[in-house]
Amino acid sequence: MRVVLLGPPGAGKGTQAQALSALWGIPQIASGDLLRAVVREDSELGREAASYMDRGQLVPDEFVLKLIAERFRKKDAHCGFILDGFPRNVSQAEALAAGLERAGLKLDKVVAVTLPDEEVVKRISGRRTCKNCAAMYHVVFEPSAKPGVCDKCGGELYQREDDAEETVRERIKVYDAMTLPLLDYYERLGLLAQVDGMGRPDEVEKRILSAVNGAGAQSAQS
Ligand code: AP5
């Protein structure tokens, strides 16, 4: 199964990708996580990436495409993947399609999770992520048992640098300008399903599963 999750910041792409990854036994490939790993290395490239991310802007395509290509080469991605946050614009989508075609592969489904802007801001301002295992929490909707501590591994929970309200509003603008056109792009290819992101995570997951079902969700590793 090769699935793309689209949606504005905070729509729940990461939450849903983690759940689907566990259910289907295929990796979540999150461009934001790959970029944050480079930023943590504190290299010249990492500082360059951070300069875009901290302003809520997209990191240049060639940088992101290189990271994604490296990630695809890892063995676990050969049986399928859930792409989270990539592609982010039409040129990234075209590069993805060309890469898959060269490998004789294609996408099974593109799911766009929709969410109103005010809900986006609410969700992102309360998000906390584990430094150690990347598990996701929300201080109101999905709190950890002990504040600031991950239930799964005991790691420290932190708030992302780009989750300040002003930056989130910029990220929403960038999403509308750069990523929304992808909905038409994938609609024309007959791959798009739109799913309402409101409601509990398990309710949203059910909607995604039913959207993907026609594309063979029962046998995800192929
Ligand atoms: P990225 O890391 O991809 O961030 P994003 O797309 O803005 O999305 P988020 O991770 O903020 O949200 P999400 O939809 O995953 O929601 P989540 O599940 O966490 O990108 C960050 C930056 O990196 C970009 O701005 C850009 O600079 C750069 N970048 C990344 N990819 C790039 C690319 N391809 N090209 C160029 N640049 C790129 O949920 C949010 C919160 O809500 C959590 O607290 C969660 O617990 C909670 N929650 C989730 N679902 C629910 C629910 N159903 N009900 C209540 N709460 C919920």
Side-chain angles (χ1 to χ4, degrees):
M1 177 69 65
R2 284 171 285 277
V3 172
V4 171
L5 291 185
L6 295 177
K13 302 181 295 297
T15 303
Q16 295 301 328
Q18 284 181 4
L20 296 172
S21 167
L23 183 69
W24 291 338
I26 53 177
Q28 166 200 21
I29 298 183
S31 47
D33 289 346
L34 296 174
L35 286 163
R36 281 183 286 279
V38 176
V39 169
R40 276 195 297 274
E41 287 166 10
D42 197 27
S43 59
E44 186 61 37
L45 281 179
R47 280 188 287 279
E48 193 194 332
S51 72
Y52 292 93
M53 296 168 80
D54 291 348
R55 286 181 286 126
Q57 299 297 317
L58 294 187
V59 174
D61 288 350
E62 60 174 21
F63 193 121
V64 175
L65 291 171
K66 192 165 165 273
L67 281 181
I68 292 285
E70 272 168 20
R71 182 62 186 85
F72 276 165
R73 280 197 283 276
K74 293 198 178 158
K75 208 172 164 197
D76 66 339
H78 295 176
C79 297
F81 48 74
I82 302 151
L83 284 174
D84 158 11
F86 176 90
R88 209 71 162 217
N89 57 30
V90 172
S91 70
Q92 291 184 9
E94 287 171 346
L96 171 65
L100 289 175
E101 196 181 340
R102 278 195 297 277
L105 301 172
K106 57 184 180 56
L107 291 175
D108 294 295
K109 201 79 190 168
V110 175
V111 180
V113 181
T114 59
L115 201 71
D117 290 357
E118 286 318 309
E119 188 66 21
V120 162
V121 174
K122 250 193 256 170
R123 284 197 190 173
I124 288 196
S125 56
R127 170 173 44 201
R128 299 293 181 272
T129 308
C130 177
K131 270 189 179 166
N132 184 42
C133 73
M136 210 114 56
Y137 299 88
H138 189 283
V139 290
V140 177
F141 306 130
E142 199 89 42
S144 56
K146 195 172 162 198
V149 180
C150 178
D151 292 348
K152 295 185 177 122
C153 72
E156 184 191 341
L157 303 185
Y158 79 107
Q159 184 168 28
R160 270 169 44 179
E161 302 264 337
D162 59 345
D163 280 354
E165 182 169 339
E166 199 183 314
T167 316
V168 172
R169 295 206 182 270
E170 185 59 30
R171 284 161 59 196
I172 294 172
K173 277 193 210 153
V174 169
Y175 176 80
D176 289 347
M178 308 301 292
T179 312
L180 265 186
L182 279 183
L183 270 58
D184 279 344
Y185 173 90
Y186 282 122
E187 177 78 62
R188 280 197 298 275
L189 294 175
L191 287 171
L192 184 74
Q194 296 204 55
V195 160
D196 181 4
M198 290 295 286
R200 291 192 318 267
D202 61 306
E203 293 171 333
V204 179
E205 184 184 345
K206 274 196 198 125
R207 287 178 210 135
I208 295 178
L209 286 175
S210 101
V212 174
N213 223 7
Q218 302 309 315
S219 55
Q221 294 198 18
S222 64

